Amino acid sequence: MKVLQVYTRVYVNDMETSLKFYENLLSEVSTFRFKYEAAGLELASVGNILILAGSNQSLEPFRKTKATFKVDSIHEFYDYLKSSGCQIIRDLTKVPTGTNFTVQHPDGEIFEYVQHHD
């Protein structure tokens, strides 16, 4: 059970402008970019930044999520967090990159956990 990467989330309405800004700021290119049609969003990553782009309405359900933990075993983390008294906000779900869930930690902060497809 290992956290592979932690992404800081940035919520925007204009993917192109934000993606270009973070690529220039970090001197890196995006490692992935995709549309999440079911949520009305487009996502991209640059370094440890995860950009979520969409309308204000599409972004609203996700804005309280502080960061994304990319993990090696989604089910192990799910079981561990649930047994640790964390509240599951959004249950295990298939997403374009793999499987995720959203949880509220004991301190009240909300985080996404995701395991990407191999």
Side-chain angles (χ1 to χ4, degrees):
M1 199 169 92
K2 183 176 180 183
V3 174
L4 303 173
Q5 189 167 11
V6 179
Y7 292 102
T8 300
R9 288 171 155 235
V10 176
Y11 301 95
V12 303
N13 299 120
D14 179 359
M15 175 61 82
E16 296 306 322
T17 300
S18 294
L19 184 58
K20 182 177 178 181
F21 172 79
Y22 286 105
E23 286 179 332
N24 289 332
L25 178 70
L26 301 174
S27 298
E28 294 186 36
V29 295
S30 176
T31 53
F32 69 80
R33 182 176 180 178
F34 64 93
K35 291 188 185 286
Y36 185 10
E37 300 288 345
L41 300 175
E42 183 175 9
L43 288 82
S45 73
V46 180
N48 287 334
I49 302 291
L50 179 62
I51 304 167
L52 292 89
S55 68
N56 288 337
Q57 183 178 357
S58 295
L59 291 167
E60 188 57 35
F62 304 97
R63 286 192 185 275
K64 290 182 181 177
T65 305
K66 300 295 183 193
T68 296
F69 291 86
K70 181 179 171 185
V71 299
D72 65 345
S73 176
I74 197 77
H75 295 287
E76 284 185 65
F77 274 93
Y78 182 87
D79 292 342
Y80 170 76
L81 292 165
K82 198 168 180 181
S83 70
S84 297
C86 293
Q87 179 185 353
I88 305 300
I89 304 295
R90 279 187 287 283
D91 215 341
L92 289 165
T93 305
K94 296 287 183 194
V95 293
T97 56
T99 304
N100 78 347
F101 69 94
T102 304
V103 63
Q104 185 173 26
H105 287 180
D107 59 12
E109 297 297 336
I110 298 172
F111 296 92
E112 174 195 28
Y113 287 77
V114 63
Q115 181 179 1
H116 286 185
H117 298 296
D118 289 331

